[in-house]
Amino acid sequence: MSDTSFRWTWPLLYLLAAPLLADAAVAADEKHRFVASRAAGTVDRVEFALDVGGELTAVLAGAEPRKEKMSVRCTLRYDELTLDFVPSGEGGIHTVRYYEEAAATIVHSDRSFTPVVRPGRMLIVSLIEPPEVSVLSPAGPLTRDELDVMDLIGNSAVLDLLLPTEPVAVGESWALDEGVLAALLRMDEVQRSDVAVTLTEVADVVSRFEMAGSVTGLAEGVPSDIELKARFRFLRGRQRVDWLGMLVREHRTQGPASGEMDAVARVQITLTPGESPPELSEEILESLPLEPSPETLLLVCQPADGSWSFIHDRRWFHLDDQEEAAALRLVEGGELIAHCNVALLPPASPEKPPVLEQFQHDIRNALGERFGRFVEASQRAGGDDYRILRSVIAGTINETPNFWYYYLIADPQGRRVVFAFSVRADYVEPFAGEAEVLIESFRFAPAEG
């Protein structure tokens, strides 16, 4: 993407044109203190719009790089109740949201995809302890698609953390805290930043700020370079940041579960005073787990028809999901630990349960020249009277030592699924136990009749 294709021209950026309010200027030479009035019990009505356009480049071994156009449009509308608010550098922000609308459309090359958020997953907890952001559903695990819709750049709970911590004068600039910047941009880590915030205007009704600079760091474990421009507004009467418009240009290196990306994102967020809906009443919230934990941060993998499902943690990223198959990769610290393919098999007769010897024969045929030797083999009973066959194989991929962990799960009705995990030999130890978590949680939907 050339420099000329990305123009930092404020008049052309409708997302950065804040709603105008009649106002009178205040003397520019005095210092001003900005303290957000946000507190436990505050309710905001949030309108969020995201528009992304750019290119993804897939670089596959032995193949020419392939560039594909991509775009994302997302509209969110929700009521956000603050459970706890501690200013930046002293603590974090804990909120719970109820979404009235969560709509997104993703276009990749010639394919269009519309993620669906289930009605039972419209209540979301957000905990921000810069640079960490935790988004979870108290009602049960989110899908990866649902998480991607709910956990975006420009988290509304971050806005009040953009304010200066010391009194400043009009025209004065200061560096934005890197933890807050990481939370705003949904980065794992900011390694270098020259992003500065400037107080540009103080008037009777509003104060206005501009923010600009470049950021280098890690996002989803891979290097990311960002150029940022933004404007936000502080309502003096309400003592809140009530509007932000942000323009982000990002180059992200190819990662183990994603291609190289060059993209431009436009974000606009508007906050107005809200009223707590019935879904956020004390009676409902007191019965829900509102703190992040290993259990509440789990995700569920399932097809649209809900015919099967299994649970996994957030280190597993989805490459492709279909009704009869799924592909995932386990990524930790930017390193690919394991690949997993899940495939439904045609139903078999309940009177003929799967046999370990036949399963191993099928595995040997599937691996072909990559097969080396069987290391382990076992069979056992699982939950819901499932029968689970397991086989571990040592072999090679392009002369590199590799291990495969195969599982076949069959239920009493003859429904069957195969999990195939591929792990490079030097990652066997970090992978230990990861497969069993997915296998033990796998369930077919209850059989009809």
Side-chain angles (χ1 to χ4, degrees), residues 164-324:
T165 56
E166 300 292 335
V168 294
V170 173
E172 187 173 347
S173 299
W174 61 95
L176 183 63
D177 179 86
E178 290 186 355
V180 173
L181 185 58
L184 179 70
L185 298 176
R186 290 306 289 115
M187 300 182 76
D188 307 329
E189 174 188 349
V190 171
Q191 298 169 332
R192 184 196 60 78
S193 167
D194 62 8
V195 172
V197 186
T198 304
L199 174 62
T200 60
E201 178 185 359
V202 175
D204 291 340
V205 178
V206 299
S207 297
R208 302 181 193 276
F209 300 80
E210 292 184 1
M211 182 166 57
S214 58
V215 186
T216 297
L218 298 177
E220 295 186 348
V222 300
S224 173
D225 293 306
I226 287 177
E227 294 177 54
L228 165 69
K229 276 204 176 236
R231 287 178 173 174
F232 61 94
R233 185 178 72 182
F234 180 80
L235 274 183
R236 293 170 62 86
R238 191 182 173 209
Q239 291 186 293
R240 293 290 307 281
V241 175
D242 77 322
W243 179 88
L244 174 135
M246 183 167 63
L247 187 64
V248 174
R249 178 186 184 182
E250 180 179 12
H251 172 80
R252 188 177 299 187
T253 303
Q254 176 166 320
S258 60
E260 181 181 2
M261 181 180 73
D262 285 283
V264 177
R266 295 174 174 84
V267 177
Q268 181 168 250
I269 309 171
T270 303
L271 280 69
T272 54
E275 295 183 1
S276 185
E279 292 82 2
L280 297 181
S281 67
E282 288 187 22
E283 293 75 17
I284 290 179
L285 296 184
E286 67 183 7
S287 64
L288 297 174
L290 301 179
E291 297 288 343
S293 68
E295 292 73 28
T296 58
L297 292 174
L298 292 173
L299 300 179
V300 60
C301 179
Q302 63 181 34
D305 65 2
S307 57
W308 52 268
S309 67
F310 61 88
I311 303 297
H312 61 84
D313 69 34
R314 299 189 181 192
R315 296 172 301 154
W316 286 99
F317 290 85
H318 294 225
L319 302 181
D320 188 28
D321 290 341
Q322 304 171 19
E323 290 189 4
E324 297 184 351

Side-chain angles (χ1 to χ4, degrees), residues 367-380:
L367 292 178
E369 294 181 354
R370 295 171 295 173
F371 179 85
R373 60 188 175 87
F374 287 109
V375 178
E376 297 178 26
S378 63
Q379 51 189 337
R380 70 179 192 271

Side-chain angles (χ1 to χ4, degrees), residues 23-65:
D23 212 346
V26 176
D29 56 351
E30 62 179 292
K31 296 275 189 175
H32 304 274
R33 179 179 293 275
F34 298 91
V35 179
S37 64
R38 186 175 206 151
T42 300
V43 179
D44 297 308
R45 180 68 166 175
V46 181
E47 306 274 347
F48 175 98
L50 170 69
D51 191 353
V52 182
E55 289 183 336
L56 289 174
T57 303
V59 183
L60 304 176
E64 290 293 322

Side-chain angles (χ1 to χ4, degrees), residues 324-391:
E324 297 184 351
L328 302 89
R329 284 184 175 174
L330 178 62
V331 179
E332 188 165 16
E335 295 290 330
L336 174 62
I337 304 300
H339 183 97
C340 173
N341 286 326
V342 184
L344 290 182
L345 301 180
S349 170
E351 286 75 31
K352 294 182 178 180
V355 177
L356 185 58
E357 290 76 8
Q358 182 62 50
F359 183 44
Q360 291 186 299
H361 175 76
D362 294 339
I363 293 171
R364 184 191 288 267
N365 287 341
L367 292 178
E369 294 181 354
R370 295 171 295 173
F371 179 85
R373 60 188 175 87
F374 287 109
V375 178
E376 297 178 26
S378 63
Q379 51 189 337
R380 70 179 192 271
D384 292 348
D385 292 328
Y386 288 0
R387 183 177 179 83
I388 302 175
L389 308 185
R390 176 179 182 268
S391 189

